[in-house]
Amino acid sequence: EVLLVESGGGLVQPGGSLRLSCAASGFSFSTYWMSWVRQAPGRGLEWVANIKQDGSEKYYLDSVKGRFTISRDNAKKSLYLQINSLRGEDTAVYYCVTTGHSSTWYYFDYWGRGTLVTVSS
Amino acid sequence: DIQMTQSPSSLSASVGDRVTVTCRASQDISSYLNWYQQKPGKAPNLLIYASSTLQSGVPSRFSGSGSGTDFTLTISSLQPEDFGTYYCQQSYNTWSFGRGTKVEIK
């Protein structure tokens, strides 16, 4: 069974930092692109960042470039998101997501339960 | 950036009704379109990818169609468990989601 468990969320002041983690199990982690997707309270889904299997390629939502850093440790089967210079609009549930594919078609097939980040003074 | 526009933003339908949700991309995305269902307090669940391919385990009453800029998700006979919010997502150039369509059961 595929399991993705996020941790590291919490209440942080504007301008602060957090490091989110995602522990993966039940699949071959090192063979998957991985992503972070967030959802502000009562709002829709927003892709934040993704990373290639070996970490050599990383892509970010424009509004988080320079503040967020995605990384992974394949030996530990873990995905990370370092988030700095936090703003109120970063308040959201952050989901760890596998990027599956069939031929050239890519999609988010497995999701964790999410970890809540609240930015407030 | 590719913008995804869904309509309607919400709908209410009866069990057994045929329900249609539409999604429009701001540019041609071929068939790089996915659909997800999200229930309150839960993570989204992949329903359809590549515009019309049903994900394993998803009931056959769900179907998708379209290519280019216009896409449709259809529930052929709405069931009580189909309540939730449905999102389209393009995977043509990075990723972006529509704002969602909330489906309620009358």
Side-chain angles (χ1 to χ4, degrees):
Chain A
E1 178 193 5
V2 172
L3 201 57
L4 299 166
V5 180
E6 303 93 337
S7 60
L11 175 63
V12 61
Q13 292 187 338
S17 298
L18 279 177
R19 188 193 195 207
L20 307 184
S21 299
C22 171
S25 61
F27 67 104
S28 182
F29 179 77
S30 63
T31 66
Y32 274 77
W33 279 81
M34 294 295 297
S35 298
W36 288 98
V37 174
R38 68 183 179 183
Q39 185 170 35
R43 305 293 294 274
L45 301 167
E46 184 174 55
W47 166 79
V48 172
N50 64 348
I51 184 168
K52 194 176 180 179
Q53 290 92 331
D54 61 0
S56 62
E57 294 182 35
K58 304 175 184 181
Y59 300 93
Y60 297 92
L61 179 70
D62 282 348
S63 62
V64 309
K65 282 180 183 175
R67 299 190 300 121
F68 289 19
T69 302
I70 189 171
S71 62
R72 66 191 295 162
D73 185 331
N74 287 340
K76 294 183 177 180
K77 297 184 180 181
S78 293
L79 178 71
Y80 306 101
L81 186 68
Q82 178 69 41
I83 46 180
N84 299 328
S85 304
L86 278 159
R87 307 166 180 168
E89 56 264 36
D90 296 320
T91 294
V93 173
Y94 285 73
Y95 293 102
C96 169
V97 185
T98 62
T99 305
H101 70 92
S102 174
S103 183
T104 61
W105 312 107
Y106 286 80
Y107 40 80
F108 294 158
D109 50 355
Y110 294 103
W111 299 64
R113 299 181 71 173
T115 186
L116 176 62
V117 172
T118 303
V119 183
S120 175
S121 55
Chain B
D1 294 357
I2 299 175
Q3 309 300 319
M4 307 301 294
T5 304
Q6 279 184 245
S7 62
S9 57
S10 66
L11 66 90
S12 181
S14 300
V15 171
D17 283 353
R18 183 180 183 88
V19 169
T20 299
V21 178
T22 62
C23 179
R24 174 165 288 177
S26 60
Q27 67 180 72
D28 188 338
I29 59 170
S30 183
S31 295
Y32 291 90
L33 192 285
N34 306 322
W35 289 98
Y36 300 83
Q37 176 196 58
Q38 185 179 33
K39 297 191 175 182
K42 301 292 186 181
N45 181 49
L46 175 68
L47 297 175
I48 289 168
Y49 64 92
S51 178
S52 61
T53 302
L54 209 61
Q55 172 70 341
S56 176
V58 174
S60 59
R61 63 181 179 272
F62 291 93
S63 64
S65 64
S67 66
T69 60
D70 294 313
F71 301 88
T72 300
L73 170 70
T74 299
I75 308 173
S76 61
S77 178
L78 190 69
Q79 297 302 301
E81 62 268 30
D82 296 338
F83 73 93
T85 301
Y86 292 79
Y87 295 93
C88 64
Q89 176 207 39
Q90 64 83 18
S91 59
Y92 182 81
N93 183 358
T94 61
W95 312 85
S96 52
F97 292 89
R99 291 192 171 187
T101 296
K102 186 175 183 179
V103 174
E104 296 179 327
I105 310 294
K106 280 183 184 176

